[in-house]
């Protein structure tokens, strides 16, 4: 067994273990490089991340539609000037760009955006993916895959299912069901066009056909879980298409296949529609709806993250009651050091090692570098605090035990959860 740990070597040991433990990044918007241009990467994509667009538009009086008419480079130039040169870039999304540039060996002090563009201009995506995964020390990332997206649908049907494409196993799939569950009026005609004999009315035949659709896409994608982003006012039980689809289609197929259902709840979609992806807000959801799922379907597995800070505490308490609930991540507006620290500390105190502390939600490949650098810093500090508390009681700790715990917390719990028959 590796050596005993004491208060003097604790910080170093925990820091090394957290850094050296490869992460399973349970939720991203990245794509296998073989999927082509839908995998975003490079400095202009980094700088035009929708978080930074929202922050930029607080300063500029440009009409939104004029901003969206700018080219990607012109948008990036405006963000760079506004957030990085006219103001100090200490917001989390700004700081992240600089952390990434530094990790790639670029001269951050130069503030030379042209030079950064030149550097990325000569990179090839395949070797760059290797470098990003190496710097961020990732085992794998989980994508967000929408079968209703025409670009993705074609790739999965014409290239993956046919075996033409060799998938990069570092990019695991997640079957994302926002259209099916949040826009049934749009979904059912599309399903009908694809040959599923469904009607607007969710009668038994339609339910069976939606289940067939799910089975088909689980076979094509081989996803780690089935996910959906649900609005803050999501309610279960209720008499709605969404409730019927969840209870009569998702839940039975999830139980049949052992593939967890991952509701991600709390968005207030497009509260400023002019900001597009940057225009979503946050709302507190009714945790009783998650409780209803866990209690009503004890043989189903639920991976859950919630968007409001208050809900994360309620979720941790709920997870103490239901072993079929695995909370994960500091999602979206919670993915800031101050809140990652609060949520991580609260989870360790309420759940011990039975949770997944973080995911990146990366939309741009390069973001993996900063999102995991920043999160590892906070997670390390919080774990040191908790292990120090243990040492103070006289508890004996070994490096192997810390390694064991960190592996679970940084994503290992996902794979165990998938294997468990609850
Ligand atoms: O629904 C989601 O998966 C969210 O993460 C949204 O994509 C959101 O726009 C986002 O990128 N958050 O980080
Ligand atoms: Zn996301």
């Amino acid at each position: 067994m590796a050596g005993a740990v004491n208060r003097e070597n604790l910080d170093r040991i925990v820091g090394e273990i957290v850094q050296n433990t490869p992460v399973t990044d349970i939720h991203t918007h990245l794509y296998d490089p073989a999927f082509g241009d839908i995998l975003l990467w490079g400095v202009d994509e980094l700088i035009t991340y929708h978080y930074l667009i929202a922050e930029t538009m607080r300063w500029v009086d440009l009409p939104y539609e004029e901003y969206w008419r700018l080219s990607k480079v012109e948008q990036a130039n405006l963000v760079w000037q506004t957030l990085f040169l006219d103001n100090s870039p200490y917001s989390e999304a700004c700081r992240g760009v600089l952390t990434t540039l530094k990790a790639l060996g670029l001269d951050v002090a130069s503030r030379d955006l042209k030079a950064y563009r030149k550097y990325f201009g000569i990179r090839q995506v395949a070797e760059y993916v290797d470098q990003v995964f190496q710097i961020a020390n990732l085992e794998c990332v989980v994508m967000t895959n929408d079968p209703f997206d025409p670009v993705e649908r074609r790739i999965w049907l014409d290239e993956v299912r046919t075996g033409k494409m060799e998938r990069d196993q570092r990019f695991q799939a997640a079957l994302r069901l926002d259209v099916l569950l949040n826009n049934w009026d749009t979904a059912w005609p599309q399903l009908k066009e694809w040959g599923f004999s469904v009607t607007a009315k969710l009668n038994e035949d339609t339910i069976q056909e939606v289940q067939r659709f799910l089975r088909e896409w689980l076979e094509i994608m081989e996803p780690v879980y089935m996910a959906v982003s649900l609005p803050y006012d999501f309610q279960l039980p209720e008499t709605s298409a969404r409730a019927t689809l969840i209870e009569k289609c998702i839940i039975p197929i999830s139980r049949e296949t052992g593939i967890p259902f991952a509701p991600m709840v709390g968005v207030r979609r497009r509260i400023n529609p002019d900001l597009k992806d940057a225009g979503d807000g946050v709302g507190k959801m009714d945790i009783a709806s998650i409780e209803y799922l866990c209690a009503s379907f004890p043989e189903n597995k639920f991976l859950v993250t919630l968007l409001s800070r208050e809900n994360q505490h309620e979720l941790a308490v709920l997870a103490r009651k239901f072993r079929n609930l695995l909370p994960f991540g500091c999602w979206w507006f919670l993915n800031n050091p101050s809140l990652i620290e609060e949520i991580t500390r609260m989870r360790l105190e309420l759940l011990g090692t039975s949770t997944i502390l973080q995911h990146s939600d990366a939309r741009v490949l390069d973001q993996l570098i900063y999102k995991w650098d920043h999160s590892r810093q906070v997670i390390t500090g919080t774990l040191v605090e908790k292990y120090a508390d243990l040492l103070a009681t006289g508890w004996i700790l070994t490096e192997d035990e810390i390694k064991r715990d960190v592996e679970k917390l940084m994503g290992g719990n996902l794979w165990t959860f998938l294997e468990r028959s609850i």
Side-chain angles (χ1 to χ4, degrees):
M1 280 237 264
V5 177
N6 55 54
R7 190 60 194 92
E8 289 62 46
N9 62 19
L10 181 65
D11 295 58
R12 174 184 58 77
I13 289 171
V14 174
E16 284 170 0
I17 290 171
V18 171
Q19 181 51 43
N20 298 333
T21 299
V23 155
T24 292
D25 191 345
I26 188 174
H27 171 59
T28 75
H29 298 270
L30 302 175
Y31 295 96
D32 181 329
F35 282 35
D37 293 345
I38 58 175
L39 169 62
L40 304 180
W41 63 285
V43 70
D44 287 311
E45 292 297 350
L46 264 179
I47 293 176
T48 55
Y49 184 32
H50 71 67
Y51 290 31
L52 294 173
I53 295 172
E55 293 173 36
T56 300
M57 298 311 278
R58 286 186 49 70
W59 286 105
V60 300
D61 298 327
L62 191 68
Y64 293 110
E65 62 280 359
E66 275 190 44
Y67 173 82
W68 295 116
R69 277 200 294 273
L70 297 175
S71 70
K72 176 68 77 175
V73 168
E74 288 166 335
Q75 290 182 27
N77 290 341
L78 180 62
V79 173
W80 183 255
Q81 181 63 44
T82 309
L83 297 183
F84 292 78
L85 303 183
D86 297 348
N87 295 277
S88 292
Y90 49 65
S91 80
E92 182 60 6
C94 284
R95 173 199 170 206
V97 172
L98 304 184
T99 298
T100 295
L101 296 177
K102 176 172 183 267
L104 293 167
L106 294 168
D107 179 4
V108 172
S110 73
R111 303 187 181 184
D112 184 348
L113 184 52
K114 280 198 181 61
Y116 306 148
R117 282 182 174 132
K118 195 157 165 280
Y119 167 84
F120 283 96
I122 55 169
R123 297 303 304 264
Q124 298 301 318
V125 64
E127 49 87 18
Y128 187 50
V129 168
D130 294 345
Q131 185 185 13
V132 170
F133 269 65
Q134 187 270 321
I135 295 173
N137 193 8
L138 297 169
E139 182 90 36
C140 67
V141 303
V142 182
M143 304 184 282
T144 295
N145 304 109
D146 177 1
F148 287 86
D149 175 285
V151 173
E152 270 214 79
R153 177 179 166 82
R154 188 203 60 75
I155 293 169
W156 286 102
L157 295 182
D158 299 354
E159 297 180 45
V160 179
R161 185 166 59 171
T162 57
K164 261 194 273 176
M165 176 194 290
E166 194 187 330
R167 288 265 289 105
D168 183 332
Q169 289 310 307
R170 294 172 296 179
F171 294 81
Q172 294 289 310
L175 175 55
R176 182 70 176 246
L177 296 165
D178 291 24
V179 175
L180 181 75
L181 296 179
N182 294 330
N183 302 302
W184 176 244
D185 291 345
T186 312
W188 76 263
Q190 181 63 82
L191 290 173
K192 194 170 172 68
E193 192 187 307
W194 291 335
F196 295 92
S197 47
V198 296
T199 61
K201 195 169 164 27
L202 280 158
N203 55 35
E204 192 48 34
D205 290 348
T206 295
I207 284 164
Q208 291 303 318
E209 282 293 85
V210 171
Q211 289 189 6
R212 182 165 73 88
F213 165 78
L214 292 173
R215 285 193 192 93
E216 190 170 296
W217 279 94
L218 291 179
E219 193 185 323
I220 293 166
M221 287 185 178
E222 296 180 304
V224 173
Y225 55 77
M226 291 183 278
V228 60
S229 175
L230 294 169
Y232 74 103
D233 55 0
F234 161 67
Q235 280 290 342
L236 269 186
E238 73 170 8
T239 49
S240 68
R242 175 162 62 206
T244 305
L245 286 161
I246 288 175
E247 294 205 40
K248 304 282 187 209
C249 301
I250 306 292
I251 293 295
I253 297 298
S254 176
R255 187 158 59 245
E256 174 188 301
T257 59
I259 293 173
F261 178 39
M264 303 165 67
V265 194
V267 67
R268 290 174 62 90
R269 194 64 75 192
R270 299 295 191 269
I271 57 176
N272 180 347
D274 294 332
L275 279 173
K276 298 184 181 180
D277 274 349
D280 296 332
V282 56
K284 187 174 179 304
M285 66 87 63
D286 177 1
I287 194 74
S289 299
I290 304 296
E291 179 185 326
Y292 169 80
L293 278 172
C294 297
S296 311
F297 306 103
E299 293 169 9
N300 280 71
K301 300 178 211 173
F302 299 98
L303 287 165
V304 179
T305 196
L306 303 176
L307 192 49
S308 108
R309 179 185 183 190
E310 298 75 10
N311 280 149
Q312 283 290 355
H313 175 250
E314 294 172 323
L315 181 64
V317 173
L318 197 63
R320 290 170 60 86
K321 312 303 162 191
F322 295 102
R323 62 184 172 201
N324 60 334
L325 168 59
L326 184 58
F328 73 89
C330 301
W331 184 29
W332 200 343
F333 304 114
L334 301 176
N335 198 357
N336 301 314
S338 57
L339 294 172
I340 297 168
E341 182 177 346
E342 176 186 278
I343 293 167
T344 299
R345 182 177 288 119
M346 178 262 295
R347 282 177 177 158
L348 294 174
E349 291 162 359
L350 283 171
L351 297 172
T353 52
S354 65
T355 182
I356 294 174
L357 290 180
Q358 184 57 302
H359 68 271
S360 71
D361 223 336
R363 282 176 169 261
V364 181
L365 178 74
D366 330 49
Q367 292 175 336
L368 291 171
I369 293 175
Y370 87 77
K371 284 174 182 269
W372 283 107
D373 178 78
H374 296 178
S375 290
R376 279 192 166 102
Q377 285 178 38
V378 177
I379 289 167
T380 296
T382 315
L383 280 172
V384 165
E385 182 191 302
K386 292 304 167 190
Y387 284 121
D389 289 346
L390 290 184
L391 290 175
T393 69
W395 187 257
I396 302 293
L397 259 181
T398 69
E399 281 187 50
D400 283 355
E401 288 173 327
I402 295 173
K403 277 199 189 100
R404 169 204 63 194
D405 301 338
V406 171
E407 273 161 17
K408 291 177 181 176
L409 290 165
M410 301 299 274
N413 280 335
L414 170 67
W415 306 111
T416 318
F417 192 60
L418 294 175
E419 292 308 314
R420 282 177 65 186
S421 46
I422 285 175

